Amino acid sequence: VINASTMFESASFAPFTNFVPPVINAEKPILLEKMFSEINVETLKVVKTTATATNMTHMFYSTKIKDLDLSEFNTTNVENMTSMFHLSNELEFINVDNFDTNSVTTMSSMFMRAGSFSKIIIDISSFEINDSTIVTKMFNNTNSLLIYVKNETIATKINNNTTGLGSPEKYS
């Protein structure tokens, strides 16, 4: 498999609340674009994903997921996370603590309009965001989020490229 794009797009697994997709093993770079977009399941834990994935654009776009555990996600080679969680506005919990973003060049609209009306915490203190990383609209219209970042430089970059956002807090 080198293209898993839209594999589970618009799938509904009700009445199941927890779905663990099959393991994807690949030696060549693969695309995971829209893999889970518009999926209708309450809880999702993605485990042992491939380290060769390069594109996660719209991967969880407009999902109905409330609890998303990506703690075992391998993002080492991912270059594009554009709109990865865009419009996933039912999210109540998301774990991206172990994301390796050293290879990511764009995170535009990554969390745009994500999160439920209750306050949720997104800890991106592990994210590497350098001067060339595109973060335009990364958290646009996400007033209900509490965001932890690594340092003031990243907080400033995110604030300068986002509207409708409370201030990211430096993780201590």
Side-chain angles (χ1 to χ4, degrees):
V1 176
I2 50 177
N3 188 347
S5 297
T6 70
M7 183 181 279
F8 301 104
E9 184 178 27
S10 300
S12 180
F13 296 98
F16 302 111
T17 57
N18 192 6
F19 172 65
V20 180
V23 175
I24 299 170
N25 291 312
E27 293 178 15
K28 297 180 180 179
I30 66 165
L31 302 175
L32 301 180
E33 184 176 356
K34 293 186 177 181
M35 186 175 187
F36 298 103
S37 75
E38 300 180 19
I39 193 172
N40 187 7
V41 62
E42 284 188 23
T43 303
L44 181 68
K45 178 173 181 151
V46 183
V47 296
K48 298 182 181 175
T49 58
T50 180
T52 61
T54 58
N55 187 341
M56 293 184 176
T57 302
H58 293 94
M59 189 171 188
F60 298 97
Y61 174 83
S62 193
T63 66
K64 304 293 185 222
I65 299 169
K66 294 182 180 189
D67 185 334
L68 185 55
D69 185 352
L70 302 176
S71 59
E72 296 181 39
F73 228 46
N74 189 332
T75 58
T76 305
N77 292 305
V78 177
E79 298 168 1
N80 193 339
M81 292 183 173
T82 299
S83 296
M84 190 171 178
F85 306 101
H86 186 176
L87 283 176
S88 293
N89 52 18
E90 293 192 28
L91 275 175
E92 294 174 1
F93 172 80
I94 183 170
N95 184 341
V96 292
D97 295 358
N98 294 321
F99 270 33
D100 178 347
T101 60
N102 285 310
S103 299
V104 178
T105 57
T106 182
M107 296 180 198
S108 294
S109 305
M110 186 174 180
F111 295 97
M112 185 173 181
R113 295 185 180 170
S116 66
F117 291 107
S118 60
K119 185 76 89 174
I120 68 169
I121 298 171
I122 296 182
D123 184 348
I124 63 166
S125 60
S126 66
F127 282 30
E128 289 296 328
I129 299 175
N130 60 44
D131 290 341
S132 61
T133 306
I134 300 167
V135 295
T136 307
K137 299 180 182 178
M138 185 174 178
F139 290 99
N140 261 35
N141 301 313
T142 54
N143 292 328
S144 63
L145 301 183
L146 179 58
I147 303 156
Y148 290 111
V149 295
K150 183 181 286 191
N151 59 48
E152 292 300 321
T153 304
I154 291 174
T156 300
K157 182 168 184 166
I158 289 170
N159 273 328
N160 289 342
N161 287 281
T162 301
T163 59
L165 168 71
S167 297
E169 296 186 17
K170 184 178 174 188
Y171 190 69
S172 52

